[in-house]
């Protein structure tokens, strides 16, 4: 017989933490700044806008 640990995977799934999210956002901001976007404009962006820009880094470099 299988125990509940093997049948219900939701019990063992790791939980997302706020610390990891803040770290991801910080890394993504630094990547965008490294591609040549000014720090002032990155400060005004939302995390979703930053992720959208990082999907196509060649366009970001070409626009700067």
């Amino acid at each position: 017989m299988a125990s509940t640990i093997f049948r219900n995977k939701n019990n063992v799934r790791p939980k997302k933490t706020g610390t990891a999210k803040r770290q991801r956002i910080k890394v993504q901001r630094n990547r965008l700044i490294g591609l040549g976007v000014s720090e002032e404009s990155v400060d005004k962006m939302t995390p979703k806008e930053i992720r959208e820009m990082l999907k196509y880094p060649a366009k970001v470099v070409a626009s700067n």
Side-chain angles (χ1 to χ4, degrees), residues 4-38:
T4 58
I5 293 174
F6 295 109
R7 282 185 292 152
N8 189 356
K9 303 249 186 237
N10 292 330
N11 291 337
V12 294
R13 184 174 180 179
K15 299 213 177 3
K16 291 184 179 180
T17 62
T19 306
K21 181 179 180 180
R22 285 190 301 272
Q23 184 179 7
R24 281 193 306 272
I25 291 171
K26 183 179 176 183
V27 168
Q28 290 165 352
R29 286 183 78 252
N30 290 336
R31 282 178 56 203
L32 206 53
I33 292 169
L35 289 173
V37 181
S38 68

Side-chain angles (χ1 to χ4, degrees), residues 48-63:
K48 185 174 182 180
E49 292 172 338
I50 292 172
R51 283 194 312 274
E52 290 293 324
M53 286 187 77
L54 285 174
K55 286 182 182 178
Y56 306 103
K59 286 186 179 180
V60 174
V61 172
S63 68

